[in-house]
């Protein structure tokens, strides 16, 4: 079987491509940046260069002989790229597309509406699909590293609200299981970490991992927006993040499922393990 990973130089895609390599497969990767792909995979993957914004024939070439695709797209207009990939896949005879989506499709919170349109485009293409409706990623916590390193503080507008962040390795494990079996075709799978935690609890867990107390400081939506605009700029992404944090605060994003266990056969990785693995980022 031949697999193509789109988004292979990113957080989740790189892990999926690496898992395929570790299982003895030789995946294809569709990337904008050849150097980054070479640094990640050496000569253990077939590298196809292209840009989903303007794929030309590069996507068709990358899909020749491919059985399954793992697809990562982002942005408020990701539907365009999901459409381009799924229709090209359908045309090329690819049997299955596994899309990294979000739990928020179910509520329309944050980026949920973007991914809902992406999922619809893939359904329209007629290609068999699996949608991974993931909870927030544990790796989002790396965004707290500067204030934790500098001030020993995690500032957030999430109040006492809880969310069950999922470890990126669990997402990659689920994605690889879905790609390499026929078991989950036609399904939208909600996958979360093992327990919903408040940001205060996660601050304390990071504190334990680095051997220094980390304080949680509540901020308003307005303050959270102003801080986000500093690095993300004004626009749909900053709006989506503040919307997500508000939903966490209001207890609308505390879903916990057994998706990871059902699909991989093992328990999802807890946040304290992620914190230990990433302690150096917070010291
Ligand atoms: N963070 C969360 O809590 C969360 C929760 C649920 C769902 N999600 C979803 O997860 C996805 C993000 O996953 P991630 O963290 O793995 O993303 P990421 O690390 O930002 O990686 C994105 C990948 O897409 C590639 N890419 C971007 N634009 C491209 C284009 N025009 N043509 C070809 N490749 C392109 C990037 O390539 P370059 O290396 O060239 O930039 C990179 O490989 C988003 O859809 C997000 O909504 C996130």
């Amino acid at each position: 079987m031949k697999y193509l990973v789109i988004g292979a130089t990113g957080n989740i895609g790189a892990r999926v491509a690496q898992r395929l390599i570790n299982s003895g497969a030789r995946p294809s990767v569709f990337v904008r940046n050849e150097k980054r792909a070479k640094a990640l995979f050496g000569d253990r993957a077939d590298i196809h260069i292209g840009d989903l914004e303007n794929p030309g024939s590069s996507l068709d070439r990358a899909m020749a002989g491919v059985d399954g695709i793992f697809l990562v797209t982002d942005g408020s207009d990701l539907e365009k790229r999901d459409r381009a990939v799924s229709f090209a896949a359908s045309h090329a005879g690819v049997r299955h597309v596994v899309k990294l989506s979000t739990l928020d499709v179910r509520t329309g919170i944050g980026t949920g509406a973007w991914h809902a349109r992406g999922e619809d485009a893939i359904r329209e293409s007629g290609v068999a699909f699996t949608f991974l409706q993931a909870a927030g990623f544990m790796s989002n916590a790396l965004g707290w590293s500067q204030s934790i390193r500098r001030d020993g503080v995690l500032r957030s507008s999430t109040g006492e609200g809880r969310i069950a962040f999922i470890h990126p390795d669990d997402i990659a494990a689920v994605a690889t299981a879905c790609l390499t079996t026929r078991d989950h075709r036609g399904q939208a799978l909600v996958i979360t970490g093992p327990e919903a935690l408040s940001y205060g609890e996660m601050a304390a867990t990071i504190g334990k991992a680095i051997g220094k107390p980390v304080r949680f400081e509540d901020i308003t939506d307005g303050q959270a927006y102003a801080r986000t605009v500093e690095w993300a700029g004004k626009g749909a992404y900053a709006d989506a993040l503040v919307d997500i944090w508000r939903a966490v605060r209001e207890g609308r994003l505390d879903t916990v499922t057994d998706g990871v266990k059902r699909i991989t056969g093992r328990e999802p990785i807890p946040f304290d393990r992620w914190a230990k693995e990433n302690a150096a980022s917070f010291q």
Side-chain angles (χ1 to χ4, degrees), residues 17-52:
Q18 196 56 58
R19 274 176 184 269
L20 290 168
I21 290 168
N22 294 348
S23 75
R26 182 178 174 82
S28 288
V29 294
F30 180 85
V31 296
R32 296 189 288 196
N33 187 323
E34 183 175 16
K35 228 169 142 188
R36 204 171 294 159
K38 275 248 152 62
L40 283 165
F41 312 118
D43 60 1
R44 291 161 302 153
D46 293 321
I47 298 175
H48 296 267
I49 314 297
D51 188 328
L52 289 182

Side-chain angles (χ1 to χ4, degrees), residues 197-281:
L197 298 171
S198 70
Y199 281 44
E201 288 168 328
M202 290 190 271
T205 303
I206 292 172
K208 244 190 190 163
I210 62 174
K212 269 193 262 171
V214 176
R215 211 161 41 79
F216 172 74
E217 193 179 300
D218 215 357
I219 57 174
T220 64
D221 285 345
Q223 287 168 321
Y225 181 74
R227 281 165 195 276
T228 305
V229 163
E230 279 172 25
W231 59 268
K234 284 190 180 169
Y237 190 58
D239 294 342
L241 288 177
V242 176
D243 194 31
I244 290 168
W245 295 325
R246 186 186 306 111
V248 171
R249 184 175 71 234
E250 293 171 352
R252 292 185 283 135
L253 271 181
D254 58 0
T255 305
V256 179
T257 70
D258 64 352
V260 170
K261 172 96 194 272
R262 257 188 311 112
I263 296 152
T264 66
R266 61 163 177 73
E267 296 295 339
I269 302 166
F271 186 75
D272 62 348
R273 188 163 126 204
W274 181 90
K276 282 179 201 143
E277 289 165 359
N278 291 276
S281 301

Side-chain angles (χ1 to χ4, degrees), residues 157-169:
S157 53
T158 47
E160 298 291 309
R162 291 185 154 82
I163 185 163
F165 277 161
I166 180 168
H167 196 299
D169 283 341

